[in-house]
Amino acid sequence: MDYCDEQMACQTARIVGFGKRMRREGGRMAQKPRPTVRRIELGYELRQLRERADKTLEEVVESGAVNGLYFAKLQRVETGLQDLRSAADLRSLLKLYGVTDDRDVEQLLAIQREAASQDWWTPYRSTMPSGMPRFVGIESAARETWAFHPNLVLGLMQTEAYARTLYQLAQPIEETTTEFISKNVQLRMRRKEALMQSDDPLTLRAVLWEPALRNLIGDVDVMVEQYEEITKLAGLPNVTVQVLPLLPPKIRGYLPSHDFSVLHLGDELPTSVQVDNAWSATSVSDKPREVGRFTRKFNAITASALPPEDTPAFFESLKREITK
């Protein structure tokens, strides 16, 4: 087998791997379309094929293989930020990259077709802050999420009353509408369903800082309901909740001052990191350096947090304190 044949064999093996995974997920995909993750899959695969073909982004654009293709668009396609809607454009790219086997082409076209469909959260898009649509799409596709929030209860664990109160408190500052609040609360509740669905629920590891839990949002009834909700979720086999106490029983290590999530999409796709900024925008990155840095942050805070088995007793204590 010469070098060219070896390259084609590697390409075929990788694409077949994607095809096998799609067939394994067939039942779930019929119930839960995941266009965002398909865009990421397709972009990741196209980037790998381009690099194996020893071509730069500039060279692909300058080749003229795809009419109207420009640098920024190809870059966005490869990072999953934009879908490649035209099957003809995808075929042209694959031909340029040396992928000619009909089975390989059809498997990638199947990914492309689903990537071009609408996500479940599309009706909420008009009220989402910058970067949020991509984050929600990746979160919906994640197998496992590690999350830390130092200021509030994690969004995936909020009750409807807690979430609605948060948005109402921010309304005069952010100058949002009642419709904005209603849609965002609905979106948050839909996101939480991933933890409780019977078919392949999301695995969550969450660390909550004690001051965030003592921060009174709404009245006592809202907080008691929220404490009970966290306790209930912590009892699920796919959810692990740890509390980072204000006065730790041992010397505290590293303590981040901002919230973040590490989203694991499985072995064949890159892990992503999500952070919020002061402008209410959401940033997502799959750069290995950033993923590694935030993974180390999460491991550091879990080492200082109370063990998961202490979580129910901690919230019972909070309930007693707040209802005195």
Side-chain angles (χ1 to χ4, degrees), residues 31 216 316:
Q31 300 171 4
L216 187 64
E316 280 300 316

Side-chain angles (χ1 to χ4, degrees), residues 209-261:
W209 198 27
E210 182 178 349
L213 302 172
R214 294 184 177 277
N215 182 18
L216 187 64
I217 302 297
D219 56 24
V220 171
D221 290 340
V222 171
M223 294 306 297
V224 168
E225 182 188 30
Q226 182 61 75
Y227 295 157
E228 292 174 345
E229 178 72 358
I230 296 173
T231 302
K232 182 186 78 173
L233 293 172
L236 297 174
N238 54 303
V239 177
T240 301
V241 180
Q242 291 180 259
V243 175
L244 187 64
L246 186 59
L247 298 174
K250 55 186 176 181
I251 297 175
R252 172 174 284 129
Y254 178 76
L255 176 63
S257 59
H258 51 81
D259 63 290
F260 65 89
S261 298

Side-chain angles (χ1 to χ4, degrees), residues 66-81:
V66 178
N67 292 330
L69 183 65
Y70 49 92
F71 181 90
K73 179 178 179 180
L74 180 57
Q75 191 174 50
R76 288 174 63 83
V77 167
E78 288 192 353
T79 54
L81 290 171

Side-chain angles (χ1 to χ4, degrees), residues 305-323:
L306 298 175
E309 55 268 25
D310 289 358
T311 296
F314 184 92
F315 281 100
E316 280 300 316
S317 177
L318 283 182
K319 282 172 57 179
R320 288 194 298 270
E321 289 182 31
I322 202 172
T323 54

Side-chain angles (χ1 to χ4, degrees), residues 90-110:
L90 177 56
R91 288 180 182 276
S92 296
L93 280 180
L94 295 178
K95 183 177 179 180
L96 181 65
Y97 298 158
V99 181
T100 56
D101 186 277
D102 289 341
R103 292 171 301 175
D104 298 341
V105 172
E106 286 304 316
Q107 285 169 357
L108 289 169
L109 284 170

